[in-house]
């Protein structure tokens, strides 16, 4: 049995190819939506992908089960409690999928979601009683467990799911041998948990010893711990969880529509009709010159998370990119189900060369310059767009905390008649936030170059919450 992990850093997502060397048959577990890599690796190994398994209906990305079905004829398998629009085989506790020397045994492990499963993988050439690995989906991570609060709004309370999660962990997964390799669906940076470790795999024994949520405790204490201090879930999570249940267009189909070069006149007409123009260039390039009214969400950072947070799932999207990166932008939007991309500005910013009236730039201020300005009586308002916990850990004295994911809802808290300087950790989120403020008509907005990292590196004072 060959197991290969594919790790997508921008979504902190792990997926897996399982190959039986004897029959050259393969299965894919929790695939991302762009599936070329699985197809290529299977071909390299001389194997055929016949099965695709979803551990649950993921909320943070659109899975590639339909893409593998349509391209290769692979059969889709989901948990017994999963209800999908497409044709799929439901698998319950103890059900087995066996091909050659590979046995995949289903363990129903609800808690993160009601339909969640884990998959114990046996290499029958070595042992038919001790699994080599277990694919835990979002039930068990390295150093953490799946958050139980994402579905609280559609029929389950966080407490109900936490109780199910407790049983799934202690009654099933922790009964596996210590040497069983744990292959989760996510790593550090995922918003499907709060304390995921940096390693992408572990063992049951290591997690039994070191995972905070697996230490001896009552069901009530477990529920309290795993429901506390969870990060805010991006708005697109519910959209993606629904998409993963639905029969929908495949990524190839949506990209064929998205990769259209648009003239400047077409872009302006779409913008006038309310399209969201997203500029995916680095913050420094955007702030030097950009299409007025566009919002900067750079590809180089947590692009998918912030795009899914700030762009409505049904919004018409126009992309501004460096020529040659348009397809990457459209694909990464497609990975999270933002499929309504009308196209991209043909030629990028060069299309605006003869229209200086449409070009805007952003004011930037260095840490030392901001410190000097803040000493004056008419000092600007510093708006810190980091998360609350980041802000509480240290901030510029007198600054106002409005996290980026809440800026649109709380924009009235930012006065229009004052000078505003936007701050984050490194400058990525502040460029986005400043562009949102300008899109809403704010004209006196500056961005702190390098964010709080630059402020601290300049040995400037940092305030902490009392």
């Amino acid at each position: 049995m060959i197991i290969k992990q594919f790790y997508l850093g921008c979504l902190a997502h792990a997926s897996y190819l399982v190959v039986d060397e004897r029959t050259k048959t393969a299965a894919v577990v929790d695939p991302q939506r762009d599936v070329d890599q699985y197809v290529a690796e299977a071909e390299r190994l001389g194997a055929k992908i016949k099965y695709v398994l979803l551990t649950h209906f993921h909320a943070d990305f659109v899975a590639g089960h339909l893409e593998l079905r349509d391209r290769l004829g692979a059969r889709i398998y989901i948990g017994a409690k999963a209800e999908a629009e497409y044709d799929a085989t439901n698998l319950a506790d103890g059900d087995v999928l066996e091909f050659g020397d590979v046995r995949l045994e289903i363990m129903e492990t609800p808690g993160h979601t009601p339909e969640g499963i884990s998959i114990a993988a046996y290499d029958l050439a070595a042992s038919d009683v001790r699994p080599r690995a277990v694919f835990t989906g979002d039930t068990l991570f390295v150093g953490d467990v799946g958050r139980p609060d994402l579905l609280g709004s559609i029929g389950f309370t966080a407490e109900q799911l936490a109780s199910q999660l407790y049983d799934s962990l202690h009654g099933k997964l922790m009964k596996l041998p210590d040497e069983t390799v744990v292959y989760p669906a996510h790593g550090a940076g995922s918003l499907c948990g709060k304390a995921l470790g940096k390693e992408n795999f572990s063992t049951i024994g290591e997690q039994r010893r070191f995972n905070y949520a697996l230490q001896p405790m009552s069901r009530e204490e477990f529920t309290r711990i795993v429901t506390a201090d969870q990060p805010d879930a991006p708005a697109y999570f519910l959209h993606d969880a629904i998409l993963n249940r639905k029969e929908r267009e495949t990524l190839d189909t949506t990209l064929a529509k998205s990769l259209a070069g648009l003239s400047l006149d077409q872009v302006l007409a779409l913008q006038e009709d309310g399209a969201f123009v997203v500029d995916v260039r680095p913050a420094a390039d955007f702030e030097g010159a950009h299409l007025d009214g566009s919002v900067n969400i750079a590809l180089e950072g947590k692009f998918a998370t912030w795009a899914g947070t700030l762009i409505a799932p049904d919004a018409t999207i126009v992309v501004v990119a460096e020529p040659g990166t348009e397809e990457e932008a459209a694909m990464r939007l497609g990975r999270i189900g933002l499929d309504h991309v009308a196209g991209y500005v043909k030629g990028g910013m060069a299309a605006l060369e003869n229209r200086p009236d449409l070009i805007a730039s952003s004011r930037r201020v260095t840490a030392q310059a901001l410190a000097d300005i803040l000493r004056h009586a008419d000092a600007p308002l510093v708006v810190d767009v980091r998360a609350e916990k980041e802000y509480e850990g240290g901030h510029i004295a007198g600054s106002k905390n409005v996290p980026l994911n809440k800026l649109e809802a709380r924009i009235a808290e930012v006065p229009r008649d004052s000078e505003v300087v936007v701050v984050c950790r490194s400058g990525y989120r502040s460029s986005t936030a400043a562009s949102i403020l300008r899109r809403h008509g704010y004209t006196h907005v500056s961005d702190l170059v390098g964010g709080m990292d630059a402020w601290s590196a300049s040995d400037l004072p940092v305030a902490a919450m009392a």
Side-chain angles (χ1 to χ4, degrees):
M1 178 169 65
I2 297 171
I3 298 175
K4 178 163 183 178
Q5 182 186 71
F6 297 84
Y7 196 78
L8 182 61
C10 62
L11 287 172
H13 166 221
S15 53
Y16 303 89
L17 178 71
V18 184
V19 178
D20 173 57
E21 293 187 88
R22 180 160 59 85
T23 63
K24 300 298 183 183
T25 301
V28 180
V29 179
D30 289 333
Q32 63 192 63
R33 196 177 182 189
D34 44 314
V35 298
D36 289 352
Q37 59 188 341
Y38 314 114
V39 176
E41 182 64 13
E43 288 178 351
R44 188 185 72 80
L45 295 170
K48 181 178 180 181
I49 298 172
K50 293 185 178 180
Y51 313 103
V52 54
L53 298 95
L54 297 184
T55 57
H56 63 292
F57 294 129
H58 294 272
D60 56 319
F61 68 96
V62 178
H65 48 295
L66 300 186
E67 283 73 10
L68 287 169
R69 178 201 66 184
D70 288 3
R71 186 182 299 193
L72 303 175
R75 180 71 183 166
I76 300 170
Y77 293 82
I78 54 180
K81 294 182 176 66
E83 297 179 0
E85 287 185 1
Y86 44 82
D87 184 28
T89 299
N90 293 87
L91 297 173
D93 243 351
D95 284 348
V96 167
L97 186 61
E98 197 166 302
F99 45 98
D101 292 324
V102 174
R103 175 186 295 159
L104 301 179
E105 184 174 342
I106 303 305
M107 307 168 69
E108 290 189 69
T109 52
H112 175 66
T113 65
E115 80 283 353
I117 59 173
S118 297
I119 305 161
Y122 293 80
D123 185 345
L124 299 179
S127 173
D128 63 355
V129 294
R130 299 183 77 82
R132 172 175 158 187
V134 59
F135 303 104
T136 56
D138 287 14
T139 300
L140 174 62
F141 300 125
V142 177
D144 203 356
V145 294
R147 60 190 296 179
D149 62 319
L150 291 180
L151 286 173
S153 62
I154 54 174
F156 291 85
T157 67
E159 290 72 25
Q160 287 172 326
L161 287 173
S163 181
Q164 293 180 24
L165 184 62
Y166 183 88
D167 290 333
S168 296
L169 293 166
H170 294 282
K172 293 182 179 177
L173 288 174
M174 288 301 100
K175 291 185 176 181
L176 294 173
D178 278 356
E179 71 271 16
T180 307
V181 179
V182 173
Y183 285 125
H186 291 293
S190 169
L191 295 176
C192 292
K194 60 183 175 182
L196 281 71
K198 64 181 185 299
E199 297 84 6
N200 297 336
F201 61 91
S202 182
T203 65
I204 289 292
E206 288 175 348
Q207 293 311 295
R208 194 191 312 278
R209 290 191 295 275
F210 302 118
N211 192 314
Y212 76 94
L214 300 179
Q215 303 315 301
M217 67 183 80
S218 68
R219 184 185 303 270
E220 292 72 25
E221 178 68 3
F222 176 85
T223 298
R224 185 188 67 78
I225 288 175
V226 300
T227 56
D229 300 323
Q230 290 289 359
D232 290 338
Y236 77 92
F237 271 28
L238 180 58
H239 172 67
D240 281 16
I242 292 171
L243 272 186
N244 282 321
R245 292 172 165 83
K246 293 172 67 71
E247 182 70 47
R248 51 158 178 80
E249 290 186 332
T250 62
L251 184 61
D252 288 344
T253 301
T254 62
L255 287 181
K257 301 173 184 177
S258 302
L259 296 175
L262 302 173
S263 70
L264 184 56
D265 286 342
Q266 289 175 306
V267 171
L268 295 175
L270 287 165
Q271 191 177 31
E272 180 68 23
D273 286 342
F276 192 105
V277 180
V278 57
D279 191 318
V280 303
R281 295 175 300 145
D285 295 341
F286 174 85
E287 293 183 327
H290 56 267
L291 175 62
D292 193 22
S294 60
V295 172
N296 180 222
I297 310 176
L299 282 174
E300 64 189 5
K302 289 189 174 181
F303 174 74
T305 297
W306 287 115
T309 298
L310 301 172
I311 305 175
D314 59 351
T316 299
I317 302 169
V318 174
V319 173
V320 182
E322 288 292 341
T325 64
E326 302 92 350
E327 182 172 0
E328 180 186 359
M331 179 181 67
R332 290 174 68 176
L333 290 167
R335 282 175 178 163
I336 59 168
L338 296 181
D339 288 342
H340 302 294
V341 179
Y344 59 90
V345 180
K346 193 172 184 179
M349 284 300 295
L352 280 74
E353 284 180 353
N354 298 321
R355 292 296 305 272
D357 57 307
L358 299 176
I359 298 176
S361 60
S362 306
R363 289 179 293 178
R364 310 183 82 198
V365 60
T366 65
Q368 190 58 61
L370 177 59
D372 293 340
I373 294 169
L374 290 176
R375 296 188 183 101
H376 298 164
D378 58 347
L381 172 67
V382 176
V383 176
D384 191 320
V385 297
R386 295 175 299 161
E388 288 93 339
K389 282 190 172 296
E390 292 177 278
Y391 181 81
E392 291 168 1
H395 55 269
I396 297 172
S399 60
K400 182 179 183 62
N401 183 216
V402 185
L404 177 55
N405 64 324
K406 300 176 181 177
L407 180 58
E408 293 268 7
R410 295 174 53 186
I411 202 162
E413 297 179 27
V414 182
R416 291 181 176 273
D417 55 354
S418 299
E419 289 284 344
V420 174
V421 178
V422 188
V423 178
C424 68
R425 181 185 65 81
S426 66
Y428 182 92
R429 284 172 285 178
S430 60
S431 178
T432 300
S435 66
I436 290 172
L437 289 170
R438 285 190 293 270
R439 187 172 185 247
H440 281 271
Y442 287 74
T443 56
H444 307 294
V445 181
S446 300
D447 180 18
L448 176 61
V449 178
M452 287 300 296
D453 286 349
W455 181 271
S456 298
S458 300
D459 293 325
L460 294 166
V462 175
M465 301 297 287

